[in-house]
Amino acid sequence: MNRPSVLVTQAIPANGIDVLSAACDVDYNDAQRLDPAALHARVRGKDGVLTLLTDRVDDAFLDAAGPQLKIVANVAVGYDNVDVAACRKRGVIVTNTPGVLDDATADFAFTLLLAAARRVAEADRYVRAGNFKAWQMMGFHGGDLADMTLGIAGLGRIGQAVARRGRGFGMHVIYTDARRASAEVEAALDARFVTKEELLAQSDYLSLHVPLLDATRHYIGAAEFSAMKKSAYLINTSRGPVVDEAALAAALAAKEIAGAGLDVFEREPEVNQELYALDNVTLAPHIASATVRTRFNMARIAAENAVAVLGGGQPLTPVG
Ligand code: GLV
């Protein structure tokens, strides 16, 4: 019997390739990300594909792949790079990697929150530049966490993990979401449901955990920055286009908010150049899930989804 063929579009941890290789013929692009033309050429005739969040899966991709394609296993929890409706129309199953990256992502949201509040990147630049000549009582004042209000937009698995960390730091947790969480979840997190307006007005730290949808594109923009406290910090580990990046740069430059921590950007890997000049923003290259264990588990789940579907079984973690 012919083994199914699977394309892996970019480098992933080796365990994912091992899982695939046991049951499939694997075409592994472990070099640079393929541009759309190269990606389309390479996916032609494949039965399955493991995609990364920088691969666009749209009608052109699906046309190029051909009618035998059965599964797009996205190695990410977010799947805004995949046109799920187009896949469904063709009977192509889409899967993601939920659950395994909640703690790593929440840890990194808190890393950015603390780094922004305590000016860590700015302090590092200061020391490296040889500017640490004397200890100063009046230098590098930042924001406190204890007794401050942590606002969470999107109380899904990752938002809840961030809330737990906030409680550990003695913060008051408020959240908004399209759907209110259960009474049990609210009680366990001691999290209070508020409107978006209340979230903006009350948060000392606002952390974004919504998926990128039409409804959440530019969820935070100029109007939202003017509704936030001047002392507030914005943390984004969700998706770049959730924030209007030009409006954020303007708000940070005008000190309309105190600071920001960003792991994601509106036009990744491009970064709004105005952010580079600002000391009150901490920047990271989309690494919130980048721990050894988390990336291993993401590769495993994506590969297991592909093997299950191509073996005639059910996907473990379908989306849509
Ligand atoms: C990372 O951004 C992911 O969605 O897994």
Side-chain angles (χ1 to χ4, degrees):
M1 203 179 100
N2 277 351
R3 280 154 58 95
S5 59
V6 176
L7 171 66
V8 179
T9 63
Q10 297 181 50
I12 62 170
N15 65 302
I17 303 298
D18 292 344
V19 170
L20 287 172
S21 301
C24 310
D25 287 339
V26 182
D27 178 8
Y28 183 24
N29 173 45
D30 60 355
Q32 293 290 306
R33 169 181 176 266
L34 300 168
D35 65 28
L39 177 63
H40 294 175
R42 193 100 171 231
V43 77
R44 193 174 313 281
K46 298 295 193 303
D47 301 304
V49 58
L50 261 64
T51 49
L52 280 292
L53 58 84
T54 49
D55 298 317
R56 202 80 250 105
V57 178
D58 51 13
D59 274 315
F61 175 99
L62 296 166
D63 284 344
Q68 76 301 322
L69 185 72
K70 291 183 191 55
I71 176 162
V72 172
N74 208 40
V75 194
V77 69
Y79 48 90
D80 47 281
N81 58 310
V82 180
D83 183 341
V84 177
C87 289
R88 190 180 306 124
K89 225 185 288 167
R90 297 168 193 244
V92 175
I93 289 169
V94 180
T95 61
N96 68 343
T97 63
V100 293
L101 45 71
D102 304 343
D103 283 322
T105 304
D107 285 348
F108 199 71
F110 247 83
T111 302
L112 285 176
L113 188 155
L114 283 160
R118 301 305 303 273
R119 305 168 60 171
V120 173
E122 184 187 351
D124 179 90
R125 288 192 292 274
Y126 178 87
V127 174
R128 285 172 198 270
N131 292 328
F132 184 27
K133 308 275 194 231
W135 183 82
Q136 290 176 49
M137 181 72 174
M138 298 308 294
F140 282 94
H141 294 185
D144 284 290
L145 270 65
D147 282 330
M148 306 305 274
T149 296
L150 171 62
I152 296 175
L155 198 70
R157 284 181 304 265
I158 297 171
Q160 290 180 31
V162 170
R164 282 193 288 279
R165 284 154 179 76
R167 297 290 299 154
F169 279 87
M171 304 175 87
H172 306 289
V173 178
I174 60 176
Y175 79 97
T176 201
D177 203 314
R179 248 187 334 186
R180 186 169 175 172
S182 68
E184 291 72 34
V185 167
E186 286 189 359
L189 300 172
D190 199 7
R192 186 163 57 85
F193 181 69
V194 295
T195 63
K196 181 180 177 186
E197 289 66 33
E198 290 167 327
L199 188 81
L200 294 168
Q202 294 174 23
S203 295
D204 296 302
Y205 297 88
L206 174 54
S207 194
L208 304 178
H209 302 287
V210 294
L212 176 60
L213 308 166
D214 286 342
T216 59
R217 198 169 286 277
H218 285 193
Y219 179 79
I220 302 291
E224 284 73 21
F225 291 120
S226 37
M228 290 172 69
K229 295 182 184 181
K230 277 198 164 3
S231 54
Y233 295 83
L234 178 74
I235 308 303
N236 191 10
T237 53
S238 63
R239 283 292 183 267
V242 170
V243 174
D244 179 342
E245 204 166 291
L248 171 61
L252 288 167
K255 305 268 167 59
E256 212 172 346
I257 60 171
L262 306 177
D263 187 43
V264 289
F265 300 89
E266 197 170 348
R267 277 169 286 276
E268 255 170 64
E270 240 177 75
V271 176
N272 184 312
Q273 297 285 304
E274 287 173 34
L275 294 173
Y276 291 148
L278 299 171
D279 264 334
N280 56 348
V281 63
T282 303
L283 308 171
H286 203 150
I287 57 172
S289 69
T291 69
V292 173
R293 183 177 68 190
T294 295
R295 291 281 165 92
F296 177 99
N297 283 330
M298 291 167 71
R300 176 181 54 76
I301 291 177
E304 287 175 352
N305 270 304
V307 169
V309 168
L310 296 175
Q314 292 300 311
L316 283 67
T317 53
V319 303

